Amino acid sequence: DYYEQQPIIQSTLTHNSQLQVTSFLLLRILHVKQLCEEGEWERALSSVELLDLIPMTADITSLQSAADRLTSSTTHDDQIAIIRSDLLLQTMTILYNCYKRLRSTVIIDPGRQAQIDALRVRARSLLVLVGLMQGRVRVEGSAEMARLEVMMV
């Protein structure tokens, strides 16, 4: 948010709308990364949802359209394609850490259990999305995401 308000960045980005969209998206991804480094997992998850790149639903139609968007060279700049695997892995890490925090509480009430179940569904949906992207995610990232999802059971 700070970077988006700087006059030099605004003046540079007003000339190229695709550059502007990509730059703001990269700045928002940087903000997610900063939230993760601070251990603000819930806020990081909310920020990932606001990116509107990765659907957090189990609906196969929305997952397929997201996979098409993420793998299409015309939708996003090459800079987004470069960090695609890292963003997906970071999203799974966020989901896992939110899950771990919820599971660490001594008393699990029905509302908390519903949150845990929702995180599991989101993690499975993320793995389906990775599978739909047909090899455009690094193997190491896919393996780590699968490992984190298994640990959420």
Side-chain angles (χ1 to χ4, degrees):
D1 297 331
Y2 167 79
Y3 299 103
E4 295 173 6
Q5 296 173 2
Q6 297 305 308
I8 188 129
I9 292 175
Q10 287 180 346
S11 66
T12 304
L13 297 178
T14 55
H15 300 296
N16 185 339
S17 64
Q18 181 61 30
L19 176 63
Q20 183 178 18
V21 169
T22 301
S23 297
F24 284 143
L25 191 55
L26 288 170
L27 287 171
R28 289 187 182 111
I29 291 170
L30 177 63
H31 180 68
V32 169
K33 192 173 202 66
Q34 289 170 341
L35 289 172
C36 290
E37 289 171 359
E38 295 168 5
E40 296 286 337
W41 302 111
E42 287 78 17
R43 287 182 56 207
L45 183 57
S46 296
S47 295
V48 166
E49 290 171 346
L50 290 175
L51 289 175
D52 200 30
L53 283 176
I54 303 169
M56 295 290 180
T57 66
D59 178 37
I60 193 69
T61 307
S62 62
L63 290 171
Q64 183 63 54
S65 65
D68 294 342
R69 270 194 330 267
L70 283 168
T71 57
S72 172
S73 60
T74 59
T75 307
H76 297 295
D77 194 3
D78 292 337
Q79 299 303 316
I80 303 300
I82 290 170
I83 63 168
R84 175 180 44 224
S85 292
D86 295 330
L87 179 62
L88 292 167
L89 178 57
Q90 187 161 26
T91 303
M92 183 62 86
T93 303
I94 291 167
L95 290 169
Y96 173 71
N97 281 299
C98 288
Y99 169 83
K100 191 168 67 169
R101 186 192 60 75
L102 285 171
R103 290 293 292 191
S104 68
T105 58
V106 178
I107 301 171
I108 298 182
D109 58 36
R112 196 170 296 256
Q113 187 60 45
Q115 289 176 323
I116 289 171
D117 293 341
L119 288 171
R120 286 180 183 152
V121 168
R122 290 174 173 180
R124 278 187 222 110
S125 297
L126 187 58
L127 281 182
V128 169
L129 175 65
V130 168
L132 290 171
M133 292 175 67
Q134 302 173 356
R136 296 191 187 221
V137 177
R138 289 192 315 263
V139 174
E140 307 86 38
S142 297
E144 180 66 14
M145 283 185 268
R147 185 184 73 77
L148 289 172
E149 194 270 337
V150 166
M151 290 173 54
M152 291 175 73
V153 176

